[in-house]
Amino acid sequence: MARRKMSLGELAERIDLTPANLSILKTGKARAVRFTTLEAICRELHCQPGDLLEYCEEGSEKE
């Protein structure tokens, strides 16, 4: 988002998601993400899913 100079609110509007739900995804607190949401984010940010997602062992938290 920073590279695209896009605010969370603007991205949320473009992908038809509430800013609160997008914030949950952004902070890593989401337990799941729909493929359609991931696709919309990637389309708007011109990126790949791997640019947004990171695998972490269960029980470990990224600091």
Side-chain angles (χ1 to χ4, degrees), residues 32-56:
V33 61
R34 293 175 188 254
F35 285 120
T36 53
T37 301
L38 184 58
E39 178 184 24
I41 292 170
C42 289
R43 182 182 60 246
E44 290 300 322
L45 296 180
H46 307 284
C47 65
Q48 295 294 312
D51 298 330
L52 305 173
L53 301 174
E54 178 182 28
Y55 173 75
C56 295

Side-chain angles (χ1 to χ4, degrees), residues 11-38:
L11 180 59
E13 186 175 317
R14 287 183 179 203
I15 64 172
D16 196 28
L17 197 66
T18 66
N21 284 339
L22 185 56
S23 180
I24 289 169
L25 289 172
K26 184 180 175 191
T27 59
K29 295 182 180 181
R31 297 188 56 120
V33 61
R34 293 175 188 254
F35 285 120
T36 53
T37 301
L38 184 58

